[in-house]
Amino acid sequence: MGKTGQSTVDLNSPSEVKQATPFEDLDHYTSHTDDEKEKDVPERGSWKGKFDFLLSCIGYAIGLGNVWRFPYLCGKNGGGAFLIPYFTTLVFAGIPLFLLETSLGQYTSVGGLGVWKLMPMMKGVGLAAVVLSFWLNIYYIIIIAWALYYLFNSFKSELPWQSCDNPWNTDRCFSNYSLTDTTNLTSAVTEFWERNMHQLTSGLEEPGEVRWPLAGTLALAWVLVYFSIWKGVEWTGKVVYFSATYPYFMLFILFFRGVTLPGAKEGVLFYITPDFNKLMKSEVWLDAATQIFFSYGLGLGSLIALGSYNSFNNNVYRDAIIVCCINSFTSMFAGIVIFSIVGFMSYITKKPIQELAASGPGLAFLAYPQAVTQLPMSSLWAILFFSMLMMLGLDSQFCTVEGFITALMDEYPMVLRKRKKLFILVVCIISYIIGFSNITQGGLYVFKLFDYYSASGMCLLFLVFFETVSISWLYGAERFYQNIEEMIGYRPCAWWKWCWLVFTPLICLGVFTFSAIEMTPLTLGKYVYPAWGQGIGWVMALSSMVLVPGYIIYMFLSTKGSIRQRWHKMTTRQDENITEPDNGLTRQPSQMGSMGEASV
């Protein structure tokens, strides 16, 4: 992409099409000194390969939730019948929001803060997204650190959680999973998780010591993240060719192994057999909606950042549909893989499948490690699974970090863009240090606190609701549709516009309300979090949510003029009605809106 203030044609782009000019570059009526300063701003960068953006979105959207949350929800909520509320939410909210965020980024060619120059008073949405992604970057990578710990422990002839002959095992340990009565007993897998990796304390009030092996794997995870994004999107575009495709190779290998195991058929049938009676429960629809919002990574500003590196005429509409379809297909396919393994464990333990089906870390670090101990060449299958888990988490992590970095660098290009590698390094180091709270002996309790409050469903839904309303009602859905038409050359189906205007905000509001009503005090097993711990959690949750109304109030109080004049300035695009200082003339927006007019 050309430097700031120069032609918007990217001569290095393989398609040589028009690029969107970043918003900070729109005012060409500033002083000569400002023009000279803008020329010193380093190039922002853009995707170079044909599939860079597509694979980056796939890698970002397809993460741990596709493997360890969707299959569990599907089995729990009526099997194949769960696909009805899932795809309903996908069509009414998932795809419209995915299209909205990627289109916003592509049209404005800036990160999650700069796009709100379309609707200045709603910049709090962008600020909240930055805070949310900051919290998420700290604790999501902990799962990658766990996966690396298990991965390194898998390179042994006998897996350390395969027997009870280890120093950390207790007298209550058992490794014979065909036992019918395991009351007052603890499996070898559970003892490895609690007593080896975590050395778990009794609660949040006992943080204990830092688990240095986990500090090492966490450091390695951050090193991998740093070197995935340190050179900009041109480099990241190459990394995703491996990071986004490797999990699929592993899934297919695990699929062919899983379906050949005894009991796999019963497990898969449990997963896909519909129970339509469960559709009458509101909990099922709530689970479907929250799964869509979680698995698509909406509201964090990362999709805006990824879209902002596109060429202006990229068919973002087509790409959004493709990514959403691949995401949902991957979730369903992963369910077959997981439930074939769960069916096998049911065959071994003689326990019902619904009792063995687990979600989240319970599936990845307890249920699956237990299953591989029953397989020949168990170390090989453990290595394949945990390497897949690591890669699934890694590309989601570095895309989220990229979204955080892009938002801040586009907001302060003169200061940060020149020092990009140093800035990314500082962000990684700070996040790593704060992450130490999650890898002490009581770190699992802190992790659960982060997961439940800091980037929880309520925060995301609150944020996404205002994001949708800001564009569809305040900026104008029809106006934004015209912007998309300018980019791709035709109008998308009118359905998505109606979703932005009506259905998506209603779903966000409805799910937010249900989540608030059904919110219960946080627990981990039998441990109930103390009031002060939940208070810390609410501080983390509100740290992002208050920024939306807070910024509106701040802008109203800091803007001069009458109430009508303030409202006009707060809701008017900042590239419109720019007055030339020399002659007082008003420059109207170009026909291309905020875009440059260099010919192709």
Side-chain angles (χ1 to χ4, degrees):
M1 184 170 128
K3 289 187 178 181
T4 306
Q6 295 178 350
S7 169
T8 55
V9 176
D10 180 9
L11 298 178
N12 295 320
S13 172
S15 56
E16 293 188 345
V17 293
K18 200 180 301 181
Q19 290 275 18
T21 304
F23 261 118
E24 69 261 21
D25 311 335
L26 287 168
D27 188 359
H28 300 293
Y29 295 90
T30 52
S31 67
H32 180 70
T33 305
D34 291 337
D35 289 339
E36 291 297 321
K37 287 181 179 179
E38 287 185 358
K39 290 180 181 179
D40 294 333
V41 178
E43 290 186 4
R44 188 171 183 276
S46 61
W47 302 116
K48 297 302 179 186
K50 188 176 181 181
F51 299 105
D52 290 6
F53 170 68
L54 201 61
L55 285 174
S56 296
C57 286
I58 291 171
Y60 169 69
I62 297 170
L64 297 168
N66 298 75
V67 172
W68 75 15
R69 193 166 188 268
F70 176 84
Y72 166 75
L73 292 178
C74 206
K76 167 193 168 189
N77 292 316
F82 180 71
L83 297 179
I84 295 175
Y86 176 81
F87 279 109
T88 300
T89 311
L90 176 65
V91 172
F92 280 86
I95 297 176
L97 284 169
F98 199 95
L99 175 62
L100 177 75
E101 293 196 5
T102 51
S103 300
L104 265 177
Q106 181 170 309
Y107 183 67
T108 58
S109 196
V110 285
L113 288 174
V115 297
W116 293 106
K117 293 186 179 181
L118 290 174
M119 184 53 55
M121 76 173 186
M122 299 308 296
K123 190 176 181 178
V125 174
L127 293 169
V130 168
V131 173
L132 264 183
S133 60
F134 176 74
W135 291 128
L136 189 64
N137 289 335
I138 290 170
Y139 83 86
Y140 188 85
I141 199 170
I142 301 297
I143 303 168
I144 304 174
W146 295 344
L148 285 169
Y149 185 87
Y150 270 75
L151 179 63
F152 292 144
N153 277 279
S154 300
F155 287 95
K156 298 179 180 179
S157 56
E158 181 178 308
L159 295 171
W161 58 84
Q162 201 159 358
S163 69
C164 294
D165 302 326
N166 304 289
W168 60 83
N169 290 129
T170 64
D171 295 336
R172 295 181 300 166
C173 175
F174 76 94
S175 57
N176 180 7
Y177 297 107
S178 61
L179 293 175
T180 54
D181 185 14
T182 57
T183 308
N184 298 323
L185 297 178
T186 312
S187 70
V189 172
T190 302
E191 292 201 348
F192 180 84
W193 165 258
E194 293 181 353
R195 298 177 59 82
N196 177 283
M197 187 173 78
H198 291 295
Q199 297 184 3
L200 201 59
T201 60
S202 59
L204 189 65
E205 55 279 352
E206 294 183 37
E209 300 175 357
V210 172
R211 292 287 296 121
W212 292 108
L214 286 178
T217 57
L218 181 61
L220 176 59
W222 273 114
V223 167
L224 292 172
V225 168
Y226 176 75
F227 285 108
S228 295
I229 63 174
W230 70 315
K231 289 186 178 180
V233 290
E234 292 88 349
W235 171 254
T236 306
K238 296 180 176 68
V239 173
V240 293
Y241 275 83
F242 174 75
S243 64
T245 55
Y246 178 80
Y248 284 97
F249 286 110
M250 294 301 101
L251 268 180
F252 275 104
I253 292 171
L254 294 171
F255 167 77
F256 288 114
R257 184 67 186 100
V259 295
T260 58
L261 294 170
K265 178 182 176 182
E266 287 71 22
V268 174
L269 285 175
F270 175 84
Y271 167 61
I272 63 174
T273 302
D275 180 3
F276 293 105
N277 293 325
K278 291 200 173 183
L279 295 181
M280 304 301 293
K281 298 180 180 179
S282 60
E283 180 188 358
V284 175
W285 293 84
L286 186 64
D287 281 344
T290 52
Q291 173 61 17
I292 290 292
F293 288 110
F294 277 124
S295 67
Y296 280 81
L298 302 166
L300 297 170
S302 300
L303 291 173
I304 293 174
L306 295 177
S308 71
Y309 293 108
N310 276 332
S311 61
F312 180 55
N313 295 117
N314 176 66
N315 194 336
V316 66
Y317 178 50
R318 175 201 60 201
D319 289 347
I321 299 294
I322 290 173
V323 173
C324 291
C325 290
I326 291 176
N327 189 326
S328 296
F329 165 78
T330 304
S331 295
M332 291 186 289
F333 180 67
I336 296 174
V337 175
I338 296 303
F339 271 91
S340 65
I341 302 295
V342 173
F344 169 67
M345 284 309 298
S346 174
Y347 173 82
I348 294 292
T349 61
K350 310 302 180 188
K351 293 179 180 178
I353 293 173
Q354 55 265 35
E355 186 179 321
L356 296 172
S359 174
L363 171 67
F365 300 105
L366 295 175
Y368 194 89
Q370 180 177 317
V372 296
T373 61
Q374 307 301 306
L375 299 175
M377 299 187 296
S378 55
S379 295
L380 172 64
W381 298 112
I383 290 169
L384 293 177
F385 178 76
F386 288 113
S387 64
M388 178 192 73
L389 211 62
M390 185 265 292
M391 294 306 299
L392 277 172
L394 184 63
D395 49 11
S396 295
Q397 174 74 18
F398 70 65
C399 285
T400 308
V401 176
E402 180 67 59
F404 178 80
I405 297 292
T406 298
L408 293 177
M409 283 202 308
D410 285 345
E411 190 72 3
Y412 308 103
M414 293 295 296
V415 178
L416 298 179
R417 203 175 288 172
K418 293 179 180 180
R419 305 169 181 85
K420 180 172 184 176
K421 291 181 181 179
L422 178 61
F423 177 54
I424 295 174
L425 180 63
V426 169
V427 169
C428 291
I429 290 174
I430 292 173
S431 301
Y432 173 66
I433 293 171
I434 299 175
F436 264 58
S437 61
N438 287 253
I439 54 172
T440 62
Q441 291 172 319
L444 187 60
Y445 299 101
V446 180
F447 172 84
K448 184 74 173 178
L449 196 68
F450 268 84
D451 187 42
Y452 194 73
Y453 288 105
S454 67
S456 67
M458 283 187 63
C459 298
L460 283 174
L461 290 164
F462 182 84
L463 189 58
V464 168
F465 171 79
F466 281 101
E467 178 184 65
T468 311
V469 170
S470 301
I471 298 300
S472 61
W473 286 96
L474 298 179
Y475 180 73
E478 176 60 30
R479 190 181 184 186
F480 190 58
Y481 243 51
Q482 292 172 0
N483 299 151
I484 295 177
E485 185 179 5
E486 290 169 7
M487 293 189 290
I488 66 176
Y490 62 93
R491 289 176 67 85
C493 172
W495 168 258
W496 312 118
K497 184 171 70 173
W498 284 106
C499 287
W500 295 335
L501 285 166
V502 182
F503 303 127
T504 304
L506 284 177
I507 289 174
C508 293
L509 192 61
V511 177
F512 176 84
T513 305
F514 270 108
S515 298
I517 292 172
E518 297 186 5
M519 201 167 189
T520 56
L522 180 59
T523 60
L524 182 63
K526 296 180 180 179
Y527 174 76
V528 179
Y529 279 67
W532 62 268
Q534 296 186 51
I536 293 173
W538 276 110
V539 169
M540 288 192 290
L542 293 173
S543 66
S544 59
M545 296 168 70
V546 297
L547 293 174
V548 179
Y551 190 83
I552 296 174
I553 296 171
Y554 160 76
M555 190 171 185
F556 180 79
L557 295 177
S558 61
T559 303
K560 297 179 180 179
S562 65
I563 292 179
R564 184 175 181 180
Q565 289 171 331
R566 294 184 190 189
W567 176 257
H568 182 265
K569 187 172 182 180
M570 290 166 65
T571 57
T572 302
R573 273 174 59 164
Q574 290 185 359
D575 61 310
E576 294 183 349
N577 300 324
I578 300 172
T579 303
E580 297 184 31
D582 294 335
N583 54 18
L585 295 177
T586 299
R587 179 172 70 93
Q588 297 298 328
S590 68
Q591 186 178 0
M592 293 296 288
S594 63
M595 305 309 136
E597 296 184 3
S599 59
V600 179

